[in-house]
Amino acid sequence: MVNAESPTGFLTGPKQRILVVDDDEQLRSFYMLTLKASGWDVLSAKDGADALSVLEREHADLVVSDVMMPNLDGLGFLLRIREDPVLRAIPVLLLTTRGALQNVVEGLHLGADDYLVKPIQGEELVARVRARLLRPPVPADMIPKDVRTGLLKERAFLEETGREMARARRGSPPGCVAVLDIFELARLRESFGTGGELALARQLGGIIAAAASPLDMLGRDAHGRFLFLLPETGVDAARRRLHGLARLICSRTFDMGGNQVRPTPVVGIAGFGDEVDAQKVLRRAHVARERALLDLNLQPVAWQPEMGETAQSAATDRDGKGPAAGANAFPAGLRLGIQVAATYVLAIAVPFLLYLALGPAGRAVSRIVYLLVVAALVFTCLLIWAEGFRALARRDPPDEPARPYPTASAIIAAYLPNEAATVESTIAAFLRLDYPAELEIILAYNTPRDHPIEEVLREIARKDPRFRPFRVNGSESKAQNVNAALSEIRGEFVGIFDADHHPDPDSFTRAWRWLSHGNDIVQGHCLARNGDATWVSRIVAVEFEQIYAVSHPGRARLHGFGIFGGSNGYWRTSLLRETRMHGFMLTEDIDSSLRVIAAGGKIVSDPRLVSRELAPTTLGALWNQRLRWAQGWFQVSLEHFRTAIRSPRLTLRNKVGLFYLLVWREIFPWIAVQIAPIVLYWAVALGGVRRLEWWIPLFVVTTLFTLGTGPGQALFTYRLADPQVKRHTSWFWSYVLSSVVFYTGFKNLVARVAQVKEVMKERDWRVTPRA
């Protein structure tokens, strides 16, 4: 049999196959065409998760992968490949726009075989691929240690454990296997990405190695958990040693990309004597680790026979809040899929079928609806432009307060253990505030059980009397935490913050200059401080500038009232004590705002009153956050519009603004897609899309106007953005592009699904990752 000639010029067997992974369809097509033209077979995937699915079905001789991708980025995808016994030997070339030396080194440390910086020339791509296929890397299973941490990989660790167990069976003293996990690891990974996780792993690895005895063997598994082989060490002795190690880790702060975190270690132990199966002993240690997750008290848990032989991951999730997501993920996922489908049926299929059912009258009705939809789109765009122009006029508080600076209070609402890793750095930021009078800082938190961070909080309070931790037993919400703390504070005004906020040093001084001159609430500017973490956080960083630098101040000046956004908001304490927050509302902040507005209260928006927070870094986290926001807004609309519109304390201008905020913004996501069923109906009625007349002046002009509104709003945002975000010009271009391509539709879909969920009385609340 004659072999075919390969792209390298050598005689070989079947064509070698390349997998191209990139979320940019245009670039992916370019890479594929370039590689196909050189004679290779080419597969493709749109992100890391899709690529893993492809590799389950198809063989690939080499992978070319982008780094910055949704769902599973290139570094996470690379880690998954390198830990897979079947895929670990596949050469991987990473493509990225990040050309900094540190990023290149990080990619190579993670196991990449080569690294190309965009823009990439086709000739160079072909040359690099050809070189790697000619000189394949050494298979990963021949390297026993993880090059990222210097610790044994799980397979090598099990081999060492098997040998030590054999020694124990021959008469040596028995030993132990232990697993150390980080409770907040999933949330830290979501906030700081794979690079942040690696930085944490290296720091933890250094502490663990320094505490190890000469006989210990240390490893790390594919999930980021640390493995301990403790020869000739009994369970009790292992428990004492590892308890000391856990306390040591908990007492330290760790740097993750410039962010200080304090993780919570949990440890499970399993002893061995006569056992012959190393994998079984390690599974027992995992069972004990699962039990330790229920307590979070730094005490290692030793495996007992009544615990069983299999780790019950459903026993608790990483938040310590009951069943893990995987336990009922399928029903929830199916339910969400049905809800998404229902919105498209209601928004597109039902109008289309209605036009068809009307017969000849459908054309006349559809034309009227078309004109109404165009008018609605133009009306909305005009309001967006009006907000932007009104936001341009800078408005600052008076230079001096009307009265001397009084005692002030800050309430930081937190849920432990979710936010345990970041709350210490938040407190440090508050203790740096520059306020000329007394400032008390209250951390109002709830936790299902004692947590090691509580001792750290008490120690901070002993050192600085301005800070006071306040545990709210029995609380299940931020609203309950804030309401409980109101009985503890002494300030004449109070700032409300989430546990990831770092306000600027002059925040309380600036807020009092507003409040002392007759205002009831001042809402500041929430700025995303982790915008460089992922493509999602970059979108959110620009969107936050759009919300807090343009929309909030512009809308407040247009309609005569502002909105309290839940964090970085400052209240007169007496008003907040009267108003309180309602925990049964998904957005208790908006609910309290509407009750204040309806009662005639004055809320101002100040885009220069800045606090820096953590934005969601994954599309899933963003979906959950925005779904809660949207459903909360819908709840508020149903609850307050009728009352507010009849309030004698509100002007006509205020009521028009409330109609826009509470009614129009709820129906617009349905209006925005009505062009689709109309065009589809016309195509059917006229016998095909080609018979449609696209160059109708009204259609062309309104299309250009509506399409130009997004870039116009982005221009306002860039003009008014905080310098920390404004210096990243590329983020704004990316935001415009993503908004046109998918993000605007994404937000409208979220709003429609939220309304369906509210109608179905489905009110699940998920904590936004705050790591």
Side-chain angles (χ1 to χ4, degrees):
M1 179 177 177
V2 180
N3 291 333
E5 189 174 5
S6 77
T8 64
F10 294 88
L11 293 180
T12 183
K15 282 186 178 181
Q16 291 172 300
R17 182 176 291 175
I18 315 298
L19 171 61
V20 174
V21 189
D22 200 311
D23 59 321
D24 187 315
E25 186 174 356
Q26 189 173 8
L27 287 177
R28 190 168 69 241
S29 298
F30 166 71
Y31 302 147
M32 292 174 64
L33 289 172
T34 299
L35 295 171
K36 284 181 179 178
S38 296
W40 287 296
D41 284 339
V42 182
L43 303 170
S44 71
K46 63 179 181 298
D47 55 46
D50 187 30
L52 289 173
S53 178
V54 170
L55 290 174
E56 288 179 359
R57 305 186 307 268
E58 304 282 351
H59 167 73
D61 298 287
L62 182 141
V63 174
V64 176
S65 175
D66 190 20
V67 172
M68 302 302 294
M69 296 183 293
N71 298 326
L72 181 64
D73 65 15
L75 300 182
F77 169 56
L78 178 59
L79 285 172
R80 296 281 291 276
I81 286 181
R82 291 298 179 244
E83 298 294 347
D84 189 293
V86 176
L87 306 177
R88 63 168 66 95
I90 299 177
V92 177
L93 277 68
L94 291 182
L95 314 176
T96 183
T97 56
R98 300 182 299 178
L101 176 61
Q102 182 58 40
N103 292 322
V104 173
V105 171
E106 180 180 317
L108 295 174
H109 279 176
L110 288 171
D113 298 286
D114 208 342
Y115 206 104
L116 295 177
V117 178
K118 297 178 182 178
I120 296 166
Q121 301 297 320
E123 295 85 352
E124 183 182 12
L125 175 63
V126 170
R128 297 289 185 101
V129 168
R130 182 174 294 152
R132 284 298 155 192
L133 289 173
L134 282 171
R135 296 180 293 276
V138 177
D141 58 358
M142 294 178 62
I143 305 174
K145 289 190 176 181
D146 181 353
V147 296
R148 302 178 299 275
T149 61
L151 303 178
L152 292 174
K153 295 181 180 179
E154 184 173 356
R155 180 172 178 176
F157 177 85
L158 287 171
E159 291 173 354
E160 292 290 345
T161 302
R163 285 191 281 271
E164 187 58 37
M165 289 169 63
R167 290 181 64 246
R169 291 194 300 274
R170 292 195 298 268
S172 294
C176 290
V177 167
V179 179
L180 185 148
D181 197 2
I182 298 300
F183 177 79
E184 304 89 354
L185 186 59
R187 295 193 177 277
L188 292 170
R189 186 185 293 128
E190 281 188 350
S191 290
F192 302 118
T194 307
E197 180 188 0
L198 176 59
L200 177 62
R202 287 172 176 162
Q203 295 168 76
L204 286 170
I207 291 176
I208 291 170
S213 73
L215 292 180
D216 295 346
M217 301 292 289
L218 305 175
R220 184 167 177 263
D221 67 15
H223 301 286
R225 300 172 185 131
F226 291 89
L227 311 176
F228 298 76
L229 171 59
L230 309 177
E232 303 182 11
T233 304
V235 170
D236 290 340
R239 187 188 286 116
R240 288 191 296 271
R241 283 183 54 194
L242 294 174
H243 180 226
L245 176 62
R247 289 175 59 86
L248 177 63
I249 291 172
C250 196
S251 69
R252 302 285 184 88
T253 56
F254 298 84
D255 183 83
M256 296 185 73
N259 295 275
Q260 300 301 307
V261 302
R262 188 186 291 270
T264 307
V266 291
V267 182
I269 303 171
F272 59 81
D274 297 332
E275 287 79 4
V276 297
D277 187 348
Q279 187 70 257
K280 183 177 181 179
V281 174
L282 182 58
R283 278 200 306 270
R284 289 176 175 176
H286 278 295
V287 172
R289 174 191 59 83
E290 293 274 2
R291 183 61 60 90
L293 281 168
L294 297 172
D295 299 323
L296 296 178
N297 58 7
L298 302 185
Q299 291 287 347
V301 173
W303 180 83
Q304 302 293 333
E306 57 268 23
M307 295 181 184
E309 297 285 348
T310 305
Q312 299 296 320
S313 59
T316 181
D317 63 7
R318 283 192 176 270
D319 301 338
K321 294 184 68 177
N328 57 4
F330 179 73
L334 178 60
R335 188 165 60 250
L336 177 61
I338 293 172
Q339 291 163 345
V340 170
T343 68
Y344 284 109
V345 170
L346 293 172
I348 297 176
V350 170
F352 170 71
L353 294 174
L354 181 60
Y355 298 142
L356 287 179
L358 290 174
R363 294 190 182 184
V365 172
S366 64
R367 289 192 184 96
I368 295 172
V369 174
Y370 171 74
L371 293 175
L372 292 174
V373 171
V374 168
L377 294 173
V378 170
F379 168 72
T380 304
C381 291
L382 286 172
L383 284 176
I384 292 173
W385 282 99
E387 288 177 2
F389 282 113
R390 294 303 296 269
L392 288 175
R394 175 166 179 162
R395 184 185 174 198
D396 289 308
D399 292 337
E400 296 295 331
R403 292 186 287 115
Y405 291 100
T407 298
S409 303
I411 296 178
I412 307 167
Y415 171 71
L416 305 183
N418 291 67
E419 294 159 323
T422 55
V423 72
E424 187 178 0
S425 64
T426 294
I427 295 165
F430 275 83
L431 293 175
R432 291 193 295 268
L433 291 174
D434 181 17
Y435 184 67
E438 183 180 357
L439 173 65
E440 59 175 0
I441 301 160
I442 309 293
L443 178 72
Y445 69 94
N446 58 307
T447 178
R449 61 189 67 85
D450 291 342
H451 192 280
I453 193 69
E454 292 180 276
E455 179 54 40
V456 175
L457 299 177
R458 288 189 285 268
E459 180 61 26
I460 295 174
R462 283 192 288 269
K463 292 179 178 179
D464 195 322
R466 292 177 297 167
F467 171 68
R468 183 150 42 101
F470 177 58
R471 179 169 173 171
V472 186
N473 291 316
S475 172
E476 296 179 349
S477 68
K478 171 183 175 179
Q480 290 174 297
N481 290 348
V482 172
N483 291 341
L486 288 175
S487 63
E488 300 289 317
I489 63 174
R490 296 178 291 108
E492 187 172 336
F493 73 102
V494 56
I496 307 298
F497 299 88
D498 289 334
D500 61 331
H501 271 256
H502 294 184
D504 279 0
D506 67 341
S507 295
F508 277 75
T509 303
R510 187 177 179 93
W512 177 243
R513 284 159 53 199
W514 282 110
L515 296 173
S516 67
H517 284 271
N519 296 293
D520 296 303
I521 304 171
V522 54
Q523 173 60 48
H525 178 165
C526 299
L527 184 148
R529 58 187 168 94
N530 63 332
D532 56 354
T534 68
W535 68 274
V536 173
S537 61
R538 282 191 282 278
I539 288 177
V540 175
V542 176
E543 185 185 27
F544 273 20
E545 296 307 292
Q546 176 190 305
I547 293 171
Y548 292 103
V550 180
S551 294
H552 275 202
R555 195 176 297 153
R557 294 164 196 170
L558 192 64
H559 303 311
F561 62 85
I563 291 291
F564 167 56
S567 193
N568 194 28
Y570 302 79
W571 291 63
R572 286 193 299 106
T573 302
S574 58
L575 175 64
L576 185 55
R577 283 183 172 139
E578 294 169 7
T579 307
R580 301 285 168 161
M581 292 192 177
H582 291 166
F584 55 83
M585 302 294 287
L586 283 171
T587 49
E588 66 285 319
D589 44 9
I590 308 300
D591 169 72
S592 62
S593 293
L594 266 294
R595 288 186 280 122
V596 169
I597 291 169
K602 294 179 63 177
I603 306 177
V604 297
S605 176
D606 184 356
R608 290 165 187 83
L609 186 57
V610 177
S611 181
R612 301 160 203 279
E613 65 172 292
L614 294 171
T617 58
T618 67
L619 199 58
L622 181 63
W623 171 274
N624 290 333
Q625 181 193 68
R626 298 311 164 88
L627 193 62
R628 179 173 65 86
W629 288 3
Q631 190 172 351
W633 268 103
F634 189 50
Q635 278 185 333
V636 166
S637 300
L638 296 175
E639 181 76 18
H640 293 294
F641 176 68
R642 291 182 182 178
T643 303
I645 212 71
R646 290 197 295 261
S647 172
R649 295 184 174 89
L650 299 180
T651 65
L652 178 62
R653 173 189 173 197
N654 298 150
K655 292 178 180 180
V656 170
L658 285 171
F659 173 81
Y660 173 72
L661 200 62
L662 301 181
V663 177
W664 188 255
R665 72 185 304 276
E666 296 300 334
I667 63 175
F668 182 77
W670 300 92
I671 295 174
V673 294
Q674 289 311 300
I675 293 294
I678 292 172
V679 171
L680 182 61
Y681 166 71
W682 286 349
V684 172
L686 296 175
V689 175
R690 293 183 179 179
R691 305 192 69 172
L692 293 176
E693 178 56 60
W694 296 100
W695 297 104
I696 301 172
L698 175 64
F699 177 78
V700 173
V701 172
T702 55
T703 299
L704 291 175
F705 179 64
T706 54
L707 288 177
T709 299
Q713 191 177 36
L715 186 61
F716 283 121
T717 304
Y718 181 75
R719 169 71 175 78
L720 298 170
D722 185 275
Q724 180 178 330
V725 178
K726 188 174 182 177
R727 63 191 177 91
H728 298 285
T729 307
S730 62
W731 293 7
F732 292 84
W733 287 109
S734 298
Y735 180 77
V736 171
L737 180 61
S738 64
S739 295
V740 171
V741 173
F742 94 98
Y743 194 50
T744 300
F746 172 85
K747 290 187 289 186
N748 286 335
L749 174 62
V750 168
R752 295 195 298 270
V753 172
Q755 294 178 23
V756 171
K757 283 182 174 289
E758 181 62 21
V759 170
M760 296 174 63
K761 306 298 182 184
E762 183 181 321
R763 293 168 182 166
D764 293 335
W765 183 78
R766 298 187 182 183
V767 178
T768 302
R770 306 268 190 206

